[in-house]
Amino acid sequence: MNWTTFLALLARDAHVARRNMVPLLLQTFLQPMMFVFIFGRVMVSSGYMPAAYKSLLLPGIMAISMVFTGVWAVAMPLIAEFQFTREIEDRLLAPIEISWLAIEKVFFGTMQALVAGLVVIPMAWLLLRPGVEFNLHSPVRFACVTLLVALFSACGGLALGCSVSQTHIGLMFSMVLTPMIFFGCTYYPWSALGHFPILQKVVLVNPLVYASEGLRGTLVPQFPHLPVLAVLTVLTAFDVLFLAVGLRQFHGKAVS
């Protein structure tokens, strides 16, 4: 491990992010703001949803924002660098092991996902008050779940970015991310699927379920949710799995 090179790569990505600050801010904040306003403000104010839905919705919006940001921040640059700009060839010349190049991408994507998720909380407080209630009884558990969700999104982005070709980007969103969101318990708790017992068990293979339920259990525990300990265990397993798959795919594409 060459820490000087690793930090230089991080500094380079941070410099690129600063130069593209406006598109980055729009990408990070616009989508969760629209979700919060439409579902939490418009639907509730119109009487289609109860006032308590504001608090129920918040963890799901936070999970969606983190997953989209983390996947986009890691997968899209990798797809472009491997298949279009070939910029990855410059990085491969750096005096550092190949795997650490991928880990740097994951680290930077995790930071972006954390920012995108945490900004939802003050945004919701501004747009949804009065009526939105946070009950953060265990800040440590909340921090652990949030970090694991951000890491899962970045590791998932690494695995997808090294596995999907440039021509299949649209397919990635329509066949992977969209079903993940709708069956990820983002707009409803997992217990709401009790009337569909088979579907309720099938969706447990979706890591977004544990992201939404984990944030719900630590941020608004007054609503039904999966046990936080189980969520932490499964999210850790998904993080390790996606990181291992992503590193293997990255190394294979890099050496080829």
Side-chain angles (χ1 to χ4, degrees):
M1 174 55 182
N2 187 334
W3 284 106
T4 302
T5 303
F6 187 83
L7 294 175
L9 291 171
L10 279 177
R12 181 185 183 279
D13 286 339
H15 178 69
V16 172
R18 284 196 299 270
R19 291 185 60 183
N20 299 280
M21 184 60 67
V22 173
L24 184 62
L25 290 176
L26 291 176
Q27 171 191 323
T28 303
F29 301 141
L30 186 59
Q31 182 177 339
M33 183 181 296
M34 290 189 297
F35 271 118
V36 169
F37 181 75
I38 296 299
F39 286 95
R41 192 74 177 181
V42 176
M43 299 294 286
V44 173
S45 300
S46 302
Y48 294 107
M49 296 293 182
Y53 188 65
K54 294 179 182 180
S55 302
L56 176 67
L57 179 68
L58 176 61
I61 299 301
M62 189 173 173
I64 292 174
S65 179
M66 295 177 73
V67 169
F68 255 100
T69 300
V71 170
W72 186 275
V74 179
M76 299 307 293
L78 280 174
I79 292 174
E81 290 172 12
F82 271 118
Q83 303 175 37
F84 182 65
T85 65
R86 310 301 298 178
E87 184 182 333
I88 195 67
E89 295 177 358
D90 296 334
R91 289 178 176 264
L92 292 174
L93 295 175
I96 195 172
E97 290 187 7
I98 291 177
S99 297
W100 284 103
L101 295 174
I103 293 175
E104 185 272 334
K105 293 277 191 182
V106 169
F107 183 84
F108 194 71
T110 300
M111 295 300 102
Q112 291 188 56
L114 281 173
V115 172
L118 294 176
V119 77
V120 172
I121 297 177
M123 190 183 300
W125 183 79
L126 289 173
L127 294 177
L128 301 183
R129 62 177 183 173
V132 62
E133 299 179 2
F134 311 141
N135 295 304
L136 194 58
H137 295 309
S138 179
V140 175
R141 284 190 175 186
F142 173 73
C144 290
V145 171
T146 305
L147 180 60
L148 288 175
V149 173
L151 188 59
F152 140 68
S153 67
C155 291
L158 176 66
L160 287 173
C162 296
S163 304
V164 177
S165 66
Q166 191 174 5
T167 57
H168 294 153
I169 295 176
L171 189 64
M172 177 183 75
F173 280 92
S174 61
M175 297 298 293
V176 178
L177 294 180
T178 301
M180 181 184 292
I181 289 173
F182 281 102
F183 294 105
C185 299
T186 53
Y187 306 115
Y188 51 86
W190 181 74
S191 59
L193 296 175
H195 295 292
F196 310 93
I198 297 178
L199 179 62
Q200 190 179 41
K201 294 178 175 61
V202 170
V203 299
L204 290 176
V205 302
N206 184 353
L208 188 56
V209 170
Y210 303 96
S212 302
E213 289 288 289
L215 292 171
R216 191 169 287 124
T218 55
L219 195 58
V220 286
Q222 66 268 30
F223 295 103
H225 56 83
L226 290 174
V228 177
L229 182 59
V231 168
L232 291 171
T233 302
V234 177
L235 281 177
T236 302
F238 273 116
D239 288 349
V240 173
L241 174 63
F242 285 137
L243 181 60
V245 172
L247 288 177
R248 180 179 178 182
Q249 292 291 98
F250 184 89
H251 191 275
K253 292 180 75 70
V255 298
S256 64

